Amino acid sequence: MSKYRHGSTIIGRLSLLLPIMFERSFVINRYWWNRSQWEQEDVLAIKNHILGMLTQGESLFITLQHLAHMTNALYPGARCSILLRDETGRLRLGAAPSLPDFYNKVIDGLEIAPQVGSCGTAAYTGQRVIAEDILTHPYWVSFREIALRAGLRSCWSQPFIDSSNRVLGTFALYYAEPHRPSSEEIRLTHYLTNLAKIAIEFKKAQDEILLQASIFDNALAGIALTDTYHHIVRVNRAFTEITGFPAEDVVGKNPGILNSGLQDKSFYQKMWKTIRDRGCWRGEVWNCKKNGEFYAEILSISTIKNPQGDITHYLGIFTDITDIKHAQERLESLANFDPLTQLPNRLLLADRLRQSIACVQRENKLLAVGFMDLDKFKPINDQYGHDIGDRLLIEVAHRLNGAVRSGDTVARVGGDEFVLLLANLNDMGELYPVIDRILGVIAAPFRIQETDFHVTTSLGFTVYPLDDADQHNLLRHADLAMYEAKQAGRNCFHMFDTLLDQQQHIRHQKLERLPQTLNQNESIA
């Protein structure tokens, strides 16, 4: 078995079935064979030799070559030919060591059809074809010349058929003289044909197992097979490459060895309920590699059942999507966060403001919306350059986040302008300590490249629902209040006055209507 390391255990079990396959297919010593003891021993020797070659992993070509040589020795004067049906429906040369090369080249690729020699016709009809004299047999008209040149005058061909009634190939014997086989020869040929058939079926099964093992081991997706007790029985190469766990570390253990702890118990309970109900599950899971690194995967779990419908295994197939998740996070960050300060941008601010309004409505609380910009920032930016200005803005963002409460939002909306959302306030008294902290942390010196920079801030606030405006107007009102703080001397805050705003709005409307009123009075005069 040294040639077949992958799947060798399964192939070894398959090899154990070979003697049973032979015994079920043939009866060696009874009923049909009336030959001498030494001839029976020769046939048994052929069987044992072919069986040995199969169990030792010899190739089908070499095995059939040996069978053909031994058949020639068993039939003095005969030349054995074994043809195999390929996927295109033609007969290909399996073994014919005693036939001339030029003849084998013509026969290789033989069409399966009526009146195409003995083998083509036998494969077509599924019945034995005996041509006692090629010179006169109608099936050999197209091949008579090449057969005579090869010194062949008779041919009898026996097709071998699998359990699905599909022709696998033909087993043929040629003679240099016209010849009709005896009943004993036909029985012996039938036995040798079945021997070839079992060799082919065994190799097909072996190749299928090796192919499946190769697919399993070479799949790009990680694969783990568990028994019904959730013990891992096999993993593939990709499993090891993704998780870092070699097979010997996980076989016999529960897949929970990969658990990252990022999904709770209820997650897995729902997962296994779906598997029990539907027979499969697919979803996204965060697991842990052997080195402790977390990774994201798309995992599908399927049940495997035997012919009786009983679950025998669970098959898990997963693909590492960690890079995709990180790319999604980067895209989300670009879409929702300011690239310089990593604070929420206008887009995310609008969403946070909408959520905050809904929250205070449910809780019957207050929401303070603040607008601020830095005093004396422009001279610093102009004199020291944008690099210093950017570092100053980053430090401002850091200080603001430290000054507000957990759950509050600080957003950068452009330049040196910031918006503050202070939600779930019980009363106005909770707002003023936060404002004092903000004014204090901004007024403290900023140390950048061994230089102290001094800035202050002007703050404007409006409070919802005391100011029962929509999102856009809440921000506008906070901006107006910030402008009033600027006018008041900077480094201070101003609260938006709803009543005063209404009075100013009425005054502006009167001023806008004044020219129209004057025109009307003039026309009356």
Side-chain angles (χ1 to χ4, degrees):
M1 274 304 177
S2 58
K3 295 185 178 181
Y4 299 98
R5 295 188 183 276
H6 286 303
S8 60
T9 302
I10 301 174
I11 293 173
R13 293 174 183 170
L14 183 60
S15 300
L16 294 176
L17 296 176
L18 271 174
I20 300 174
M21 295 166 67
F22 277 107
E23 293 305 322
R24 287 180 177 176
S25 299
F26 311 118
V27 180
I28 303 299
N29 295 317
R30 294 183 295 168
Y31 306 127
W32 58 270
W33 203 0
N34 186 21
R35 288 200 162 203
S36 65
Q37 181 66 31
W38 68 267
E39 287 176 317
Q40 293 183 33
E41 290 176 353
D42 283 344
V43 175
L44 290 174
I46 293 174
K47 184 198 82 167
N48 291 332
H49 183 75
I50 297 301
L51 175 62
M53 295 184 73
L54 293 175
T55 55
Q56 291 169 17
E58 191 55 80
S59 71
L60 180 62
F61 173 76
I62 297 297
T63 302
L64 295 181
Q65 285 284 96
H66 277 241
L67 178 59
H69 277 300
M70 290 185 289
T71 300
N72 291 340
L74 196 62
Y75 288 85
R79 304 186 196 183
C80 179
S81 169
I82 303 173
L83 301 181
L84 307 178
R85 179 174 180 165
D86 67 10
E87 296 301 323
T88 67
R90 289 182 172 270
L91 293 174
R92 296 291 176 181
L93 186 67
S98 58
L99 291 176
D101 289 342
F102 70 85
Y103 183 81
N104 285 334
K105 288 180 180 179
V106 173
I107 297 302
D108 190 27
L110 187 68
E111 181 183 8
I112 297 177
Q115 299 188 0
V116 181
S118 297
C119 295
T121 307
Y124 179 78
T125 62
Q127 303 293 326
R128 183 187 306 112
V129 173
I130 299 175
E132 296 180 30
D133 191 345
I134 290 174
L135 191 60
T136 59
H137 201 284
Y139 294 174
W140 281 85
V141 172
S142 300
F143 302 93
R144 187 171 295 150
E145 182 179 347
I146 188 72
L148 294 177
R149 187 153 65 94
L152 308 175
R153 281 295 299 272
S154 64
C155 175
W156 18 298
S157 180
Q158 174 78 38
F160 39 92
I161 303 170
D162 65 13
S163 57
S164 301
N165 207 33
R166 183 177 183 271
V167 173
L168 300 176
T170 59
F171 187 95
L173 290 177
Y174 291 87
Y175 284 89
E177 301 295 335
H179 182 76
R180 179 174 182 82
S182 65
S183 58
E184 288 80 6
E185 287 175 324
I186 289 176
R187 291 191 184 102
L188 181 56
T189 304
H190 180 73
Y191 173 81
L192 295 173
T193 301
N194 276 333
L195 187 57
K197 172 189 143 182
I198 285 186
I200 293 166
E201 288 184 325
F202 177 80
K203 284 300 183 182
K204 279 182 175 289
Q206 191 179 65
D207 290 344
E208 180 65 24
I209 291 171
L210 292 174
L211 176 61
Q212 292 177 6
S214 177
I215 292 172
F216 184 91
D217 283 332
N218 292 293
L220 296 178
I223 303 176
L225 187 68
T226 75
D227 59 21
T228 55
Y229 298 100
H230 306 293
H231 297 141
I232 296 174
V233 296
R234 189 176 178 191
V235 297
N236 70 342
R237 186 182 300 116
F239 177 98
T240 298
E241 292 173 351
I242 294 172
T243 68
F245 284 98
E248 56 268 23
D249 284 359
V250 296
V251 169
K253 297 181 180 179
N254 189 287
I257 192 175
L258 302 172
N259 197 328
S260 66
L262 297 181
Q263 294 87 209
D264 58 19
K265 185 177 180 181
S266 64
F267 173 88
Y268 293 102
Q269 288 174 340
K270 292 176 182 177
M271 180 183 79
W272 281 106
K273 183 179 186 303
T274 301
I275 294 171
R276 288 191 297 271
D277 294 344
R278 302 180 183 177
C280 62
W281 177 88
R282 178 179 172 84
E284 184 178 304
V285 178
W286 279 92
N287 272 339
C288 186
K289 297 183 180 183
K290 185 176 182 179
N291 63 6
E293 177 185 348
F294 289 169
Y295 68 97
E297 65 182 30
I298 290 293
L299 171 65
S300 62
I301 301 177
S302 305
T303 56
I304 297 177
K305 298 181 180 181
N306 61 20
Q308 291 73 41
D310 301 320
I311 296 175
T312 60
H313 296 85
Y314 293 100
L315 179 67
I317 302 176
F318 63 94
T319 304
D320 187 346
I321 59 167
T322 308
D323 290 342
I324 296 175
K325 295 293 291 183
H326 288 163
Q328 290 175 342
E329 291 171 359
R330 288 193 294 271
L331 288 174
E332 182 180 351
S333 178
L334 290 173
N336 294 292
F337 293 88
D338 170 49
L340 177 65
T341 63
Q342 298 304 307
L343 294 176
N345 59 15
R346 287 183 180 272
L347 181 64
L348 184 55
L349 171 66
D351 184 60
R352 295 272 182 91
L353 179 54
R354 182 173 58 254
Q355 293 181 34
S356 297
I357 291 173
C359 181
V360 298
Q361 287 174 341
R362 289 193 306 269
E363 302 293 333
N364 196 26
K365 299 282 184 75
L366 301 177
L367 166 66
V369 180
F371 204 103
M372 64 165 281
D373 76 355
L374 300 177
D375 305 323
K376 304 176 184 178
F377 174 76
K378 188 175 184 302
I380 294 174
N381 201 45
D382 291 343
Q383 180 179 350
Y384 292 94
H386 293 295
D387 288 343
I388 294 296
D390 286 347
R391 292 185 61 178
L392 179 58
L393 290 173
I394 292 170
E395 183 60 28
V396 167
H398 178 72
R399 292 189 184 185
L400 287 174
N401 272 328
V404 299
R405 304 164 308 161
S406 174
D408 291 338
T409 295
V410 179
R412 183 186 178 212
V413 294
D416 62 338
E417 296 178 331
F418 299 84
V419 170
L420 309 168
L421 301 180
L422 311 178
N424 293 321
L425 297 169
N426 292 305
D427 51 53
M428 294 295 292
E430 293 185 7
L431 172 60
Y432 297 119
V434 180
I435 294 176
D436 289 340
R437 286 199 300 272
I438 292 172
L439 292 172
V441 298
I442 300 301
F446 291 88
R447 186 76 172 175
I448 302 173
Q449 291 186 356
E450 306 302 323
T451 301
D452 287 337
F453 295 93
H454 297 271
V455 295
T456 57
T457 184
S458 297
L459 280 167
F461 274 93
T462 189
V463 178
Y464 177 87
L466 303 179
D467 178 3
D468 192 16
D470 59 19
Q471 289 181 232
H472 171 74
N473 282 314
L474 285 173
L475 291 171
R476 185 177 66 84
H477 293 168
D479 189 17
L480 289 173
M482 185 270 293
Y483 178 75
E484 293 294 334
K486 289 277 190 188
Q487 294 297 101
R490 306 173 189 267
N491 192 26
C492 63
F493 76 95
H494 183 81
M495 298 298 298
F496 178 75
D497 190 330
T498 306
L499 180 60
L500 179 61
D501 182 65
Q502 290 174 348
Q503 292 173 348
Q504 289 177 342
H505 181 66
I506 292 172
R507 187 180 304 114
H508 283 304
Q509 286 180 328
K510 288 180 179 180
L511 290 174
E512 289 174 355
R513 289 198 299 268
L514 183 59
Q516 181 181 357
T517 303
L518 291 174
N519 289 335
Q520 289 175 349
N521 290 335
E522 288 176 0
S523 58
I524 292 174

